[in-house]
mmCIF file of all heavy atoms in Angstrom:
data_model
loop_
_atom_site.group_PDB
_atom_site.id
_atom_site.type_symbol
_atom_site.label_atom_id
_atom_site.label_comp_id
_atom_site.label_asym_id
_atom_site.label_seq_id
_atom_site.Cartn_x
_atom_site.Cartn_y
_atom_site.Cartn_z
ATOM 1 N N HIS A 391 32.797 72.970 -25.856
ATOM 2 C CA HIS A 391 31.878 73.085 -26.992
ATOM 3 C C HIS A 391 30.966 74.277 -26.714
ATOM 4 O O HIS A 391 30.092 74.213 -25.839
ATOM 5 C CB HIS A 391 31.059 71.811 -27.174
ATOM 6 C CG HIS A 391 31.893 70.596 -27.457
ATOM 7 N ND1 HIS A 391 32.638 70.454 -28.607
ATOM 8 C CD2 HIS A 391 32.113 69.469 -26.726
ATOM 9 C CE1 HIS A 391 33.269 69.288 -28.584
ATOM 10 N NE2 HIS A 391 32.974 68.678 -27.452
ATOM 11 N N LYS A 392 31.157 75.353 -27.448
ATOM 12 C CA LYS A 392 30.521 76.627 -27.137
ATOM 13 C C LYS A 392 28.999 76.540 -27.130
ATOM 14 O O LYS A 392 28.339 77.059 -26.215
ATOM 15 C CB LYS A 392 30.974 77.677 -28.162
ATOM 16 C CG LYS A 392 30.603 79.103 -27.794
ATOM 17 C CD LYS A 392 31.469 79.629 -26.664
ATOM 18 C CE LYS A 392 31.253 81.123 -26.443
ATOM 19 N NZ LYS A 392 32.113 81.649 -25.365
ATOM 20 N N LEU A 393 28.415 75.901 -28.136
ATOM 21 C CA LEU A 393 26.963 75.864 -28.243
ATOM 22 C C LEU A 393 26.344 75.100 -27.074
ATOM 23 O O LEU A 393 25.356 75.541 -26.473
ATOM 24 C CB LEU A 393 26.548 75.237 -29.576
ATOM 25 C CG LEU A 393 25.062 75.326 -29.945
ATOM 26 C CD1 LEU A 393 24.619 76.774 -30.039
ATOM 27 C CD2 LEU A 393 24.814 74.619 -31.278
ATOM 28 N N VAL A 394 26.936 73.956 -26.734
ATOM 29 C CA VAL A 394 26.431 73.167 -25.609
ATOM 30 C C VAL A 394 26.585 73.952 -24.311
ATOM 31 O O VAL A 394 25.714 73.932 -23.437
ATOM 32 C CB VAL A 394 27.174 71.821 -25.513
ATOM 33 C CG1 VAL A 394 26.647 70.995 -24.349
ATOM 34 C CG2 VAL A 394 27.028 71.044 -26.813
ATOM 35 N N TRP A 395 27.694 74.662 -24.180
ATOM 36 C CA TRP A 395 27.948 75.458 -22.987
ATOM 37 C C TRP A 395 26.900 76.546 -22.820
ATOM 38 O O TRP A 395 26.392 76.777 -21.718
ATOM 39 C CB TRP A 395 29.350 76.060 -23.085
ATOM 40 C CG TRP A 395 29.793 76.836 -21.876
ATOM 41 C CD1 TRP A 395 30.065 76.336 -20.628
ATOM 42 C CD2 TRP A 395 30.051 78.240 -21.816
ATOM 43 N NE1 TRP A 395 30.459 77.344 -19.793
ATOM 44 C CE2 TRP A 395 30.463 78.531 -20.486
ATOM 45 C CE3 TRP A 395 29.974 79.274 -22.735
ATOM 46 C CZ2 TRP A 395 30.807 79.817 -20.072
ATOM 47 C CZ3 TRP A 395 30.314 80.550 -22.334
ATOM 48 C CH2 TRP A 395 30.716 80.818 -21.018
ATOM 49 N N LEU A 396 26.542 77.206 -23.922
ATOM 50 C CA LEU A 396 25.520 78.251 -23.851
ATOM 51 C C LEU A 396 24.170 77.670 -23.438
ATOM 52 O O LEU A 396 23.468 78.233 -22.591
ATOM 53 C CB LEU A 396 25.399 78.964 -25.205
ATOM 54 C CG LEU A 396 26.563 79.880 -25.588
ATOM 55 C CD1 LEU A 396 26.422 80.327 -27.040
ATOM 56 C CD2 LEU A 396 26.624 81.089 -24.663
ATOM 57 N N ALA A 397 23.806 76.528 -24.029
ATOM 58 C CA ALA A 397 22.549 75.886 -23.646
ATOM 59 C C ALA A 397 22.587 75.463 -22.190
ATOM 60 O O ALA A 397 21.591 75.579 -21.459
ATOM 61 C CB ALA A 397 22.278 74.680 -24.548
ATOM 62 N N SER A 398 23.747 74.992 -21.735
ATOM 63 C CA SER A 398 23.905 74.567 -20.351
ATOM 64 C C SER A 398 23.707 75.728 -19.390
ATOM 65 O O SER A 398 23.126 75.558 -18.305
ATOM 66 C CB SER A 398 25.291 73.941 -20.158
ATOM 67 O OG SER A 398 25.497 73.545 -18.821
ATOM 68 N N ILE A 399 24.169 76.910 -19.770
ATOM 69 C CA ILE A 399 23.976 78.086 -18.920
ATOM 70 C C ILE A 399 22.488 78.380 -18.750
ATOM 71 O O ILE A 399 22.016 78.674 -17.640
ATOM 72 C CB ILE A 399 24.707 79.299 -19.513
ATOM 73 C CG1 ILE A 399 26.222 79.124 -19.388
ATOM 74 C CG2 ILE A 399 24.275 80.595 -18.819
ATOM 75 C CD1 ILE A 399 27.031 80.215 -20.041
ATOM 76 N N ALA A 400 21.728 78.296 -19.835
ATOM 77 C CA ALA A 400 20.287 78.552 -19.756
ATOM 78 C C ALA A 400 19.614 77.581 -18.794
ATOM 79 O O ALA A 400 18.793 77.975 -17.951
ATOM 80 C CB ALA A 400 19.659 78.453 -21.142
ATOM 81 N N HIS A 401 19.956 76.287 -18.904
ATOM 82 C CA HIS A 401 19.357 75.290 -18.020
ATOM 83 C C HIS A 401 19.835 75.470 -16.579
ATOM 84 O O HIS A 401 19.043 75.326 -15.636
ATOM 85 C CB HIS A 401 19.692 73.886 -18.512
ATOM 86 C CG HIS A 401 18.949 73.492 -19.750
ATOM 87 N ND1 HIS A 401 17.616 73.142 -19.737
ATOM 88 C CD2 HIS A 401 19.344 73.402 -21.043
ATOM 89 C CE1 HIS A 401 17.221 72.836 -20.961
ATOM 90 N NE2 HIS A 401 18.248 72.987 -21.776
ATOM 91 N N ALA A 402 21.111 75.789 -16.399
ATOM 92 C CA ALA A 402 21.641 75.988 -15.049
ATOM 93 C C ALA A 402 21.008 77.201 -14.390
ATOM 94 O O ALA A 402 20.690 77.174 -13.191
ATOM 95 C CB ALA A 402 23.164 76.139 -15.112
ATOM 96 N N ASP A 403 20.807 78.265 -15.151
ATOM 97 C CA ASP A 403 20.169 79.459 -14.591
ATOM 98 C C ASP A 403 18.753 79.148 -14.117
ATOM 99 O O ASP A 403 18.306 79.648 -13.077
ATOM 100 C CB ASP A 403 20.141 80.581 -15.627
ATOM 101 C CG ASP A 403 21.508 81.208 -15.851
ATOM 102 O OD1 ASP A 403 22.459 80.830 -15.123
ATOM 103 O OD2 ASP A 403 21.640 82.063 -16.748
ATOM 104 N N ALA A 404 18.040 78.297 -14.866
ATOM 105 C CA ALA A 404 16.696 77.894 -14.449
ATOM 106 C C ALA A 404 16.753 77.108 -13.139
ATOM 107 O O ALA A 404 15.865 77.246 -12.285
ATOM 108 C CB ALA A 404 16.028 77.061 -15.539
ATOM 109 N N MET A 405 17.793 76.284 -12.969
ATOM 110 C CA MET A 405 17.960 75.562 -11.707
ATOM 111 C C MET A 405 18.129 76.534 -10.545
ATOM 112 O O MET A 405 17.524 76.373 -9.472
ATOM 113 C CB MET A 405 19.196 74.648 -11.782
ATOM 114 C CG MET A 405 19.124 73.515 -12.794
ATOM 115 S SD MET A 405 17.919 72.245 -12.367
ATOM 116 C CE MET A 405 16.865 72.320 -13.826
ATOM 117 N N ILE A 406 18.960 77.544 -10.738
ATOM 118 C CA ILE A 406 19.215 78.521 -9.674
ATOM 119 C C ILE A 406 17.942 79.277 -9.323
ATOM 120 O O ILE A 406 17.663 79.539 -8.140
ATOM 121 C CB ILE A 406 20.336 79.484 -10.119
ATOM 122 C CG1 ILE A 406 21.648 78.708 -10.299
ATOM 123 C CG2 ILE A 406 20.531 80.598 -9.101
ATOM 124 C CD1 ILE A 406 22.743 79.496 -10.974
ATOM 125 N N GLU A 407 17.150 79.603 -10.320
ATOM 126 C CA GLU A 407 15.869 80.287 -10.077
ATOM 127 C C GLU A 407 14.955 79.447 -9.185
ATOM 128 O O GLU A 407 14.102 79.984 -8.482
ATOM 129 C CB GLU A 407 15.171 80.581 -11.410
ATOM 130 C CG GLU A 407 15.878 81.576 -12.311
ATOM 131 C CD GLU A 407 15.592 83.021 -11.934
ATOM 132 O OE1 GLU A 407 14.839 83.242 -10.969
ATOM 133 O OE2 GLU A 407 16.131 83.911 -12.608
ATOM 134 N N HIS A 408 15.132 78.123 -9.214
ATOM 135 C CA HIS A 408 14.315 77.225 -8.392
ATOM 136 C C HIS A 408 15.033 76.794 -7.109
ATOM 137 O O HIS A 408 14.600 75.853 -6.435
ATOM 138 C CB HIS A 408 13.927 75.979 -9.200
ATOM 139 C CG HIS A 408 12.865 76.229 -10.220
ATOM 140 N ND1 HIS A 408 13.115 76.867 -11.413
ATOM 141 C CD2 HIS A 408 11.524 75.944 -10.211
ATOM 142 C CE1 HIS A 408 11.989 76.942 -12.112
ATOM 143 N NE2 HIS A 408 11.014 76.399 -11.415
ATOM 144 N N GLY A 409 16.124 77.453 -6.781
ATOM 145 C CA GLY A 409 16.793 77.198 -5.521
ATOM 146 C C GLY A 409 17.829 76.099 -5.538
ATOM 147 O O GLY A 409 18.398 75.748 -4.493
ATOM 148 N N ILE A 410 18.102 75.522 -6.692
ATOM 149 C CA ILE A 410 19.108 74.467 -6.813
ATOM 150 C C ILE A 410 20.493 75.099 -6.936
ATOM 151 O O ILE A 410 20.664 76.122 -7.601
ATOM 152 C CB ILE A 410 18.798 73.561 -8.016
ATOM 153 C CG1 ILE A 410 17.522 72.762 -7.748
ATOM 154 C CG2 ILE A 410 19.953 72.632 -8.337
ATOM 155 C CD1 ILE A 410 17.006 71.990 -8.943
ATOM 156 N N THR A 411 21.482 74.488 -6.289
ATOM 157 C CA THR A 411 22.831 75.039 -6.265
ATOM 158 C C THR A 411 23.619 74.610 -7.499
ATOM 159 O O THR A 411 23.699 73.420 -7.812
ATOM 160 C CB THR A 411 23.586 74.578 -5.007
ATOM 161 O OG1 THR A 411 22.874 75.019 -3.848
ATOM 162 C CG2 THR A 411 24.997 75.151 -4.978
ATOM 163 N N ILE A 412 24.178 75.588 -8.181
ATOM 164 C CA ILE A 412 25.075 75.330 -9.313
ATOM 165 C C ILE A 412 26.478 75.738 -8.908
ATOM 166 O O ILE A 412 26.717 76.865 -8.481
ATOM 167 C CB ILE A 412 24.637 76.115 -10.565
ATOM 168 C CG1 ILE A 412 23.253 75.674 -11.040
ATOM 169 C CG2 ILE A 412 25.673 75.943 -11.684
ATOM 170 C CD1 ILE A 412 23.182 74.249 -11.558
ATOM 171 N N GLN A 413 27.403 74.807 -9.033
ATOM 172 C CA GLN A 413 28.808 75.044 -8.719
ATOM 173 C C GLN A 413 29.620 74.976 -10.006
ATOM 174 O O GLN A 413 29.510 74.018 -10.767
ATOM 175 C CB GLN A 413 29.319 73.978 -7.739
ATOM 176 C CG GLN A 413 28.534 73.869 -6.454
ATOM 177 C CD GLN A 413 29.052 74.806 -5.374
ATOM 178 O OE1 GLN A 413 29.869 75.694 -5.644
ATOM 179 N NE2 GLN A 413 28.585 74.629 -4.156
ATOM 180 N N ARG A 414 30.438 75.999 -10.247
ATOM 181 C CA ARG A 414 31.304 76.045 -11.422
ATOM 182 C C ARG A 414 32.743 75.705 -11.015
ATOM 183 O O ARG A 414 33.348 76.381 -10.184
ATOM 184 C CB ARG A 414 31.264 77.438 -12.062
ATOM 185 C CG ARG A 414 29.916 77.808 -12.672
ATOM 186 C CD ARG A 414 29.700 77.117 -13.987
ATOM 187 N NE ARG A 414 28.408 77.465 -14.597
ATOM 188 C CZ ARG A 414 27.957 76.945 -15.720
ATOM 189 N NH1 ARG A 414 28.700 76.066 -16.374
ATOM 190 N NH2 ARG A 414 26.790 77.295 -16.213
ATOM 191 N N TYR A 415 33.271 74.635 -11.636
ATOM 192 C CA TYR A 415 34.605 74.144 -11.288
ATOM 193 C C TYR A 415 35.667 75.088 -11.845
ATOM 194 O O TYR A 415 35.649 75.440 -13.041
ATOM 195 C CB TYR A 415 34.790 72.731 -11.830
ATOM 196 C CG TYR A 415 36.044 72.058 -11.365
ATOM 197 C CD1 TYR A 415 36.149 71.571 -10.076
ATOM 198 C CD2 TYR A 415 37.126 71.888 -12.226
ATOM 199 C CE1 TYR A 415 37.305 70.938 -9.636
ATOM 200 C CE2 TYR A 415 38.286 71.255 -11.801
ATOM 201 C CZ TYR A 415 38.365 70.788 -10.505
ATOM 202 O OH TYR A 415 39.515 70.161 -10.074
ATOM 203 N N GLN A 416 36.643 75.477 -10.988
ATOM 204 C CA GLN A 416 37.623 76.505 -11.353
ATOM 205 C C GLN A 416 39.017 75.961 -11.660
ATOM 206 O O GLN A 416 39.817 76.643 -12.299
ATOM 207 C CB GLN A 416 37.757 77.509 -10.204
ATOM 208 C CG GLN A 416 36.454 78.157 -9.781
ATOM 209 C CD GLN A 416 35.918 79.125 -10.816
ATOM 210 O OE1 GLN A 416 36.564 80.129 -11.117
ATOM 211 N NE2 GLN A 416 34.766 78.822 -11.374
#
Side-chain angles (χ1 to χ4, degrees):
H391 299 295
K392 191 73 171 181
L393 189 60
V394 180
W395 184 68
L396 288 170
S398 179
I399 290 175
H401 287 285
D403 286 355
M405 295 292 121
I406 296 169
E407 294 278 0
H408 285 76
I410 292 171
T411 300
I412 297 294
Q413 304 272 11
R414 293 283 180 183
Y415 188 75
Q416 304 290 297

